[in-house]
Amino acid sequence: MNQQYKSNRKSKEESLKEIAAEDFARRTLSFYKYVHIEDPRAMREKLFAYYDEIGCKGRIYIAKEGINAQMNVPLPAWEAFDHFMQGIPQFKKVPYKIAREESVVPSFWKLTIKVKKKIVADGIDDQDFDPTNTGKYMTAKEVNEAVEDADTLVVDMRNQYEAEVGHFQGAHIMQVDTFREQLISVEKELGDKKNRKVLMYCTGGIRCEKASAWLKFKGFKDVAHIKGGIIDYDRQVKEEGLENKFIGKNFVFDDRLGERITQEIVSTCHLCQEIKADDHYNCKNLACHILFIACSICIKRKKGYCSTYCTLFDQIPRKPKKYITRWQNKFKKKYYNPVYRKGKSISS
């Protein structure tokens, strides 16, 4: 039996209960590396067997082009984990981005490792494109200087719903929900600025690696990106006593849904559209499960649902609900306003 399915037989509730009873802490981290992996499936099995043995949880993607991981590791097993990773030639000296804070909610509750065509879906199908020809790296100190430089175009290479809760001052933010859309948009929106200095940033650096190479491929002359992304920028700022130019919260792709970088709240509740808020939630109606921002008052009033429709829908018995689900989006868009698509309000 595939070890992934064997290990993940427990329900989320059972797994969270076990994690809550642990007498040790977990370290949340992310890492990636563009490196040639001859047999991604064999690598997947090797990683899964060891990670599962020492109790790691997380979401990891393996492809011929490399690895992309977001996970947590039991602190007592940290040295063993690091020794194991450094012993794999392809991942030697891979830099870890350690989460700056742990929340009451565990970052991950199960272990999932998937083999993918690419470690980040980009939609690029040009054989002449070389993803290793990336832009230059910038340190936190250099980033701060670039943000203050009017000649530098600071570009947020994250999705709109990520940038909504936190971003660098004056950053160019694209109204898109996927990295694939971003690569199309960034070329269109910045196509007449190929001679400008461009500084790109993302959560942990992986998207900027490819995006900076893409802009260079498309003729941009001076492209840079933050090494290690927002996560490492924040670490450097604290260690070096620098001013933090990032305002708000850093969205993360685990169950925490965010790490606070500065105390400013730059977004507004999607439900009341009045109160400042930057906490993301997934709608409790699993047939919807949409991502939205809510203030403490609205999330309590709506009991975790994104709309009155979803509150009522979730009370329908299971059998009839199955037949109604297919009409849900059409019905919801017609009769309830607003409807939220990830972080964006969509008017009916």
Side-chain angles (χ1 to χ4, degrees):
M1 179 183 291
N2 186 308
Q3 293 185 60
Q4 178 180 350
Y5 301 114
K6 183 177 180 181
S7 176
N8 293 332
R9 277 182 170 181
K10 294 175 183 175
S11 68
K12 183 174 183 179
E13 291 71 24
E14 289 175 311
S15 297
L16 288 175
K17 190 174 180 181
E18 283 188 1
I19 293 173
E22 292 173 347
D23 61 356
F24 53 83
R26 288 175 173 271
R27 176 170 289 166
T28 297
L29 70 150
S30 63
F31 60 90
Y32 70 88
K33 191 172 184 181
Y34 283 102
V35 61
H36 181 65
I37 297 177
E38 185 66 35
D39 189 343
R41 189 158 297 280
M43 181 64 76
R44 183 258 172 215
E45 297 304 323
K46 179 177 181 176
L47 294 182
F48 192 96
Y50 188 75
Y51 288 176
D52 191 42
E53 179 184 339
I54 64 174
C56 298
K57 311 293 183 185
R59 182 175 56 245
I60 297 100
Y61 298 147
I62 302 285
K64 283 185 175 292
E65 68 174 6
I67 186 171
N68 180 16
Q70 295 87 40
M71 61 189 296
N72 61 49
V73 178
L75 271 182
W78 176 258
E79 288 187 10
F81 165 80
D82 182 51
H83 181 74
F84 171 76
M85 291 302 296
Q86 299 306 320
I88 300 174
Q90 294 95 324
F91 306 143
K92 191 172 180 62
K93 295 184 179 180
V94 61
Y96 306 129
K97 267 79 73 176
I98 309 296
R100 68 182 303 269
E101 62 180 24
E102 294 291 341
S103 65
V104 177
V105 179
S107 53
F108 295 96
W109 59 272
K110 67 177 180 179
L111 177 62
T112 303
I113 305 181
K114 294 183 178 181
V115 174
K116 297 275 193 176
K117 288 185 177 180
K118 296 186 178 183
I119 54 176
V120 177
D122 54 31
I124 298 174
D125 200 24
D126 194 321
Q127 298 300 314
D128 294 327
F129 172 60
D130 179 9
T132 66
N133 184 25
T134 62
K136 59 189 177 185
Y137 289 126
M138 274 194 175
T139 64
K141 184 176 183 297
E142 291 169 330
V143 168
N144 283 0
E145 292 170 354
V147 170
E148 291 291 336
D149 183 2
D151 291 332
T152 302
L153 187 61
V154 182
V155 181
D156 195 317
M157 284 307 299
R158 299 173 303 153
N159 302 321
Q160 188 273 343
Y161 61 89
E162 298 172 74
E164 186 175 6
V165 296
H167 46 260
F168 277 95
Q169 300 168 23
H172 179 85
I173 297 169
M174 287 165 279
Q175 302 298 305
V176 296
D177 285 335
T178 68
F179 184 57
R180 184 189 301 261
E181 292 175 303
Q182 272 209 326
L183 290 181
I184 296 171
S185 294
V186 73
E187 185 186 353
K188 287 182 178 178
E189 294 180 25
L190 307 182
D192 60 344
K193 300 176 175 65
K194 291 185 177 180
N195 292 318
R196 290 276 301 275
K197 296 177 183 177
V198 177
L199 168 61
M200 315 180 91
Y201 69 91
C202 55
T203 307
I206 186 169
R207 284 174 282 185
C208 287
E209 291 275 349
K210 189 165 282 186
S212 66
W214 180 247
L215 283 195
K216 287 179 68 178
F217 179 66
K218 290 296 181 177
F220 285 76
K221 308 300 181 186
D222 190 349
V223 184
H225 57 111
I226 302 176
K227 186 174 184 178
I230 299 163
I231 295 173
D232 206 57
Y233 168 82
D234 183 59
R235 179 192 63 78
Q236 291 179 55
V237 161
K238 286 179 170 53
E239 288 182 356
E240 298 174 26
L242 303 173
E243 181 184 357
N244 200 320
K245 297 289 186 180
F246 186 94
I247 53 174
K249 210 172 190 180
N250 183 26
F251 184 94
V252 293
F253 291 90
D254 58 51
D255 287 356
R256 297 171 300 152
L257 294 177
E259 290 184 331
R260 182 156 300 287
I261 304 296
T262 59
Q263 295 307 309
E264 292 98 330
I265 297 177
V266 298
S267 50
T268 304
C269 174
H270 287 169
L271 301 181
C272 66
Q273 299 187 4
E274 294 177 357
I275 300 174
K276 285 288 185 180
D278 59 8
D279 287 331
H280 277 99
Y281 299 89
N282 283 109
C283 180
K284 280 177 62 178
N285 173 14
L286 296 182
C288 172
H289 202 58
I290 208 160
L291 188 68
F292 65 99
I293 295 170
C295 64
S296 58
I297 296 171
C298 286
I299 201 67
K300 185 176 181 179
R301 178 170 55 86
K302 292 289 186 181
K303 298 179 180 179
Y305 295 94
C306 74
S307 64
T308 301
Y309 173 83
C310 280
T311 305
L312 297 174
F313 180 85
D314 225 20
Q315 296 174 21
I316 299 172
R318 184 176 179 180
K319 193 170 182 179
K321 184 187 289 185
K322 182 174 69 173
Y323 297 102
I324 297 172
T325 299
R326 71 183 67 177
W327 304 106
Q328 172 170 307
N329 290 334
K330 182 178 180 181
F331 180 89
K332 188 176 177 184
K333 186 170 183 180
K334 184 175 181 181
Y335 293 104
Y336 182 79
N337 184 40
V339 176
Y340 301 107
R341 178 169 173 258
K342 293 201 174 172
K344 298 189 290 186
S345 176
I346 300 175
S347 173
S348 59

Short mmCIF file of all heavy atoms in Angstrom, two decimals, residues 13-45:
data_model
loop_
_atom_site.label_atom_id
_atom_site.label_comp_id
_atom_site.label_asym_id
_atom_site.label_seq_id
_atom_site.Cartn_x
_atom_site.Cartn_y
_atom_site.Cartn_z
N GLU A 13 -9.62 15.63 12.73
CA GLU A 13 -9.89 15.80 14.15
C GLU A 13 -8.99 14.90 14.99
O GLU A 13 -8.44 15.33 16.02
CB GLU A 13 -11.37 15.49 14.45
CG GLU A 13 -12.37 16.51 13.89
CD GLU A 13 -12.49 16.46 12.38
OE1 GLU A 13 -12.19 15.39 11.79
OE2 GLU A 13 -12.85 17.49 11.78
N GLU A 14 -8.83 13.64 14.58
CA GLU A 14 -7.97 12.71 15.31
C GLU A 14 -6.51 13.18 15.29
O GLU A 14 -5.82 13.13 16.31
CB GLU A 14 -8.06 11.31 14.69
CG GLU A 14 -9.38 10.60 14.93
CD GLU A 14 -9.45 9.28 14.19
OE1 GLU A 14 -9.14 9.25 12.97
OE2 GLU A 14 -9.81 8.27 14.81
N SER A 15 -6.06 13.62 14.11
CA SER A 15 -4.67 14.06 13.98
C SER A 15 -4.39 15.30 14.82
O SER A 15 -3.36 15.39 15.50
CB SER A 15 -4.34 14.34 12.52
OG SER A 15 -4.44 13.17 11.74
N LEU A 16 -5.31 16.26 14.80
CA LEU A 16 -5.13 17.48 15.58
C LEU A 16 -5.14 17.18 17.08
O LEU A 16 -4.40 17.81 17.85
CB LEU A 16 -6.23 18.49 15.24
CG LEU A 16 -6.12 19.16 13.87
CD1 LEU A 16 -7.33 20.05 13.61
CD2 LEU A 16 -4.84 19.98 13.76
N LYS A 17 -5.95 16.21 17.48
CA LYS A 17 -6.00 15.82 18.89
C LYS A 17 -4.66 15.23 19.32
O LYS A 17 -4.15 15.52 20.41
CB LYS A 17 -7.13 14.81 19.11
CG LYS A 17 -7.42 14.52 20.58
CD LYS A 17 -8.64 13.62 20.73
CE LYS A 17 -8.91 13.35 22.20
NZ LYS A 17 -10.11 12.46 22.37
N GLU A 18 -4.07 14.40 18.45
CA GLU A 18 -2.76 13.80 18.75
C GLU A 18 -1.68 14.88 18.85
O GLU A 18 -0.83 14.85 19.74
CB GLU A 18 -2.39 12.79 17.67
CG GLU A 18 -3.12 11.47 17.78
CD GLU A 18 -2.57 10.43 16.82
OE1 GLU A 18 -1.60 10.75 16.09
OE2 GLU A 18 -3.10 9.31 16.80
N ILE A 19 -1.70 15.85 17.91
CA ILE A 19 -0.70 16.93 17.92
C ILE A 19 -0.84 17.77 19.19
O ILE A 19 0.16 18.16 19.81
CB ILE A 19 -0.83 17.80 16.65
CG1 ILE A 19 -0.44 16.99 15.41
CG2 ILE A 19 0.04 19.05 16.76
CD1 ILE A 19 -0.69 17.69 14.10
N ALA A 20 -2.09 18.04 19.58
CA ALA A 20 -2.33 18.85 20.78
C ALA A 20 -1.80 18.17 22.03
O ALA A 20 -1.44 18.84 23.01
CB ALA A 20 -3.82 19.13 20.92
N ALA A 21 -1.75 16.83 22.02
CA ALA A 21 -1.29 16.08 23.19
C ALA A 21 0.23 15.90 23.22
O ALA A 21 0.78 15.36 24.19
CB ALA A 21 -1.98 14.71 23.22
N GLU A 22 0.93 16.33 22.17
CA GLU A 22 2.38 16.16 22.11
C GLU A 22 3.08 16.98 23.20
O GLU A 22 2.64 18.09 23.51
CB GLU A 22 2.91 16.57 20.73
CG GLU A 22 2.47 15.64 19.62
CD GLU A 22 2.85 16.13 18.23
OE1 GLU A 22 3.25 17.31 18.11
OE2 GLU A 22 2.76 15.35 17.27
N ASP A 23 4.15 16.42 23.76
CA ASP A 23 4.90 17.13 24.80
C ASP A 23 6.14 17.82 24.23
O ASP A 23 7.10 18.09 24.96
CB ASP A 23 5.29 16.17 25.93
CG ASP A 23 6.17 15.03 25.45
OD1 ASP A 23 6.42 14.94 24.22
OD2 ASP A 23 6.61 14.22 26.29
N PHE A 24 6.13 18.08 22.92
CA PHE A 24 7.24 18.77 22.27
C PHE A 24 6.69 19.78 21.27
O PHE A 24 5.53 19.70 20.87
CB PHE A 24 8.16 17.77 21.55
CG PHE A 24 7.45 16.85 20.59
CD1 PHE A 24 7.16 17.25 19.29
CD2 PHE A 24 7.06 15.57 20.99
CE1 PHE A 24 6.50 16.42 18.40
CE2 PHE A 24 6.41 14.73 20.12
CZ PHE A 24 6.13 15.14 18.82
N ALA A 25 7.52 20.73 20.90
CA ALA A 25 7.12 21.75 19.92
C ALA A 25 7.47 21.29 18.51
O ALA A 25 8.25 20.34 18.32
CB ALA A 25 7.82 23.06 20.23
N ARG A 26 6.90 21.96 17.53
CA ARG A 26 7.21 21.69 16.13
C ARG A 26 7.77 22.96 15.50
O ARG A 26 7.33 24.07 15.83
CB ARG A 26 5.96 21.24 15.36
CG ARG A 26 5.52 19.83 15.71
CD ARG A 26 4.21 19.43 15.03
NE ARG A 26 3.93 18.03 15.28
CZ ARG A 26 4.35 17.03 14.51
NH1 ARG A 26 5.04 17.31 13.41
NH2 ARG A 26 4.09 15.79 14.81
N ARG A 27 8.70 22.79 14.60
CA ARG A 27 9.29 23.93 13.89
C ARG A 27 8.72 23.96 12.47
O ARG A 27 8.87 23.01 11.71
CB ARG A 27 10.81 23.79 13.85
CG ARG A 27 11.51 24.89 13.04
CD ARG A 27 13.01 24.83 13.25
NE ARG A 27 13.35 25.28 14.61
CZ ARG A 27 14.53 25.08 15.18
NH1 ARG A 27 15.49 24.43 14.53
NH2 ARG A 27 14.76 25.53 16.39
N THR A 28 8.06 25.05 12.13
CA THR A 28 7.50 25.22 10.78
C THR A 28 8.52 25.87 9.87
O THR A 28 9.16 26.86 10.25
CB THR A 28 6.22 26.07 10.84
OG1 THR A 28 5.23 25.37 11.62
CG2 THR A 28 5.66 26.32 9.44
N LEU A 29 8.67 25.32 8.70
CA LEU A 29 9.66 25.85 7.76
C LEU A 29 9.20 25.64 6.33
O LEU A 29 8.26 24.87 6.07
CB LEU A 29 11.01 25.14 7.95
CG LEU A 29 11.09 23.67 7.53
CD1 LEU A 29 12.49 23.31 7.06
CD2 LEU A 29 10.68 22.76 8.68
N SER A 30 9.86 26.31 5.42
CA SER A 30 9.66 26.07 3.99
C SER A 30 11.02 26.07 3.33
O SER A 30 11.97 26.67 3.83
CB SER A 30 8.76 27.16 3.38
OG SER A 30 9.37 28.43 3.48
N PHE A 31 11.13 25.37 2.23
CA PHE A 31 12.36 25.38 1.45
C PHE A 31 12.05 24.93 0.03
O PHE A 31 11.03 24.28 -0.22
CB PHE A 31 13.45 24.48 2.07
CG PHE A 31 13.08 23.02 2.19
CD1 PHE A 31 13.34 22.12 1.17
CD2 PHE A 31 12.49 22.55 3.36
CE1 PHE A 31 13.00 20.78 1.29
CE2 PHE A 31 12.16 21.21 3.50
CZ PHE A 31 12.41 20.32 2.45
N TYR A 32 12.90 25.33 -0.88
CA TYR A 32 12.76 24.90 -2.26
C TYR A 32 14.14 24.85 -2.89
O TYR A 32 15.10 25.48 -2.40
CB TYR A 32 11.86 25.85 -3.06
CG TYR A 32 12.47 27.20 -3.31
CD1 TYR A 32 13.26 27.44 -4.44
CD2 TYR A 32 12.27 28.25 -2.41
CE1 TYR A 32 13.84 28.67 -4.66
CE2 TYR A 32 12.85 29.49 -2.63
CZ TYR A 32 13.63 29.69 -3.75
OH TYR A 32 14.22 30.91 -3.97
N LYS A 33 14.24 24.13 -3.97
CA LYS A 33 15.49 24.13 -4.72
C LYS A 33 15.22 23.67 -6.14
O LYS A 33 14.60 22.63 -6.36
CB LYS A 33 16.53 23.21 -4.07
CG LYS A 33 17.94 23.38 -4.66
CD LYS A 33 18.99 22.61 -3.88
CE LYS A 33 20.38 22.88 -4.43
NZ LYS A 33 21.43 22.13 -3.69
N TYR A 34 15.65 24.48 -7.09
CA TYR A 34 15.60 24.07 -8.49
C TYR A 34 16.83 23.21 -8.75
O TYR A 34 17.97 23.71 -8.74
CB TYR A 34 15.57 25.28 -9.42
CG TYR A 34 14.21 25.95 -9.50
CD1 TYR A 34 13.95 27.13 -8.81
CD2 TYR A 34 13.19 25.37 -10.25
CE1 TYR A 34 12.70 27.73 -8.86
CE2 TYR A 34 11.93 25.97 -10.31
CZ TYR A 34 11.70 27.14 -9.62
OH TYR A 34 10.46 27.72 -9.68
N VAL A 35 16.62 21.93 -8.95
CA VAL A 35 17.72 21.00 -9.17
C VAL A 35 17.17 19.81 -9.95
O VAL A 35 15.99 19.46 -9.83
CB VAL A 35 18.31 20.53 -7.81
CG1 VAL A 35 17.27 19.80 -6.97
CG2 VAL A 35 19.54 19.66 -8.01
N HIS A 36 17.99 19.20 -10.77
CA HIS A 36 17.51 18.09 -11.59
C HIS A 36 17.33 16.83 -10.74
O HIS A 36 18.23 16.40 -10.04
CB HIS A 36 18.49 17.79 -12.72
CG HIS A 36 18.03 16.68 -13.62
ND1 HIS A 36 16.90 16.78 -14.39
CD2 HIS A 36 18.53 15.42 -13.83
CE1 HIS A 36 16.73 15.65 -15.06
NE2 HIS A 36 17.70 14.82 -14.73
N ILE A 37 16.11 16.28 -10.78
CA ILE A 37 15.81 15.03 -10.08
C ILE A 37 15.43 14.00 -11.15
O ILE A 37 14.38 14.12 -11.80
CB ILE A 37 14.67 15.21 -9.06
CG1 ILE A 37 15.11 16.21 -7.97
CG2 ILE A 37 14.28 13.88 -8.42
CD1 ILE A 37 14.04 16.54 -6.95
N GLU A 38 16.27 13.02 -11.33
CA GLU A 38 16.08 12.04 -12.40
C GLU A 38 14.80 11.23 -12.23
O GLU A 38 14.05 11.01 -13.17
CB GLU A 38 17.29 11.08 -12.42
CG GLU A 38 17.26 10.07 -13.58
CD GLU A 38 17.39 10.74 -14.93
OE1 GLU A 38 18.12 11.75 -15.04
OE2 GLU A 38 16.75 10.25 -15.89
N ASP A 39 14.54 10.78 -11.00
CA ASP A 39 13.36 9.94 -10.73
C ASP A 39 12.55 10.54 -9.59
O ASP A 39 12.75 10.19 -8.41
CB ASP A 39 13.81 8.52 -10.38
CG ASP A 39 12.65 7.52 -10.30
OD1 ASP A 39 11.49 7.98 -10.19
OD2 ASP A 39 12.91 6.31 -10.32
N PRO A 40 11.64 11.47 -9.88
CA PRO A 40 10.87 12.15 -8.82
C PRO A 40 10.07 11.18 -7.95
O PRO A 40 9.94 11.39 -6.75
CB PRO A 40 9.95 13.08 -9.61
CG PRO A 40 10.65 13.31 -10.90
CD PRO A 40 11.33 12.02 -11.21
N ARG A 41 9.53 10.11 -8.56
CA ARG A 41 8.72 9.18 -7.78
C ARG A 41 9.57 8.43 -6.75
O ARG A 41 9.15 8.25 -5.60
CB ARG A 41 8.01 8.19 -8.70
CG ARG A 41 6.98 7.33 -7.99
CD ARG A 41 5.96 6.77 -8.94
NE ARG A 41 5.19 7.82 -9.59
CZ ARG A 41 4.16 8.45 -9.02
NH1 ARG A 41 3.79 8.13 -7.79
NH2 ARG A 41 3.51 9.38 -9.66
N ALA A 42 10.76 8.03 -7.14
CA ALA A 42 11.64 7.35 -6.19
C ALA A 42 12.05 8.31 -5.07
O ALA A 42 12.13 7.91 -3.90
CB ALA A 42 12.88 6.82 -6.91
N MET A 43 12.30 9.58 -5.42
CA MET A 43 12.65 10.57 -4.41
C MET A 43 11.48 10.79 -3.47
O MET A 43 11.66 10.92 -2.25
CB MET A 43 13.05 11.88 -5.08
CG MET A 43 13.45 12.99 -4.11
SD MET A 43 14.95 12.59 -3.17
CE MET A 43 16.20 12.86 -4.45
N ARG A 44 10.29 10.81 -4.03
CA ARG A 44 9.10 10.98 -3.21
C ARG A 44 8.98 9.87 -2.17
O ARG A 44 8.71 10.12 -0.99
CB ARG A 44 7.87 11.00 -4.12
CG ARG A 44 6.56 11.25 -3.37
CD ARG A 44 5.79 9.97 -3.19
NE ARG A 44 4.64 10.21 -2.32
CZ ARG A 44 4.17 9.34 -1.46
NH1 ARG A 44 4.75 8.17 -1.30
NH2 ARG A 44 3.14 9.63 -0.71
N GLU A 45 9.18 8.65 -2.58
CA GLU A 45 9.07 7.51 -1.66
C GLU A 45 10.15 7.58 -0.58
O GLU A 45 9.89 7.25 0.59
CB GLU A 45 9.18 6.19 -2.44
CG GLU A 45 8.05 5.98 -3.45
CD GLU A 45 6.67 6.06 -2.81
OE1 GLU A 45 6.51 5.59 -1.66
OE2 GLU A 45 5.75 6.60 -3.45
#
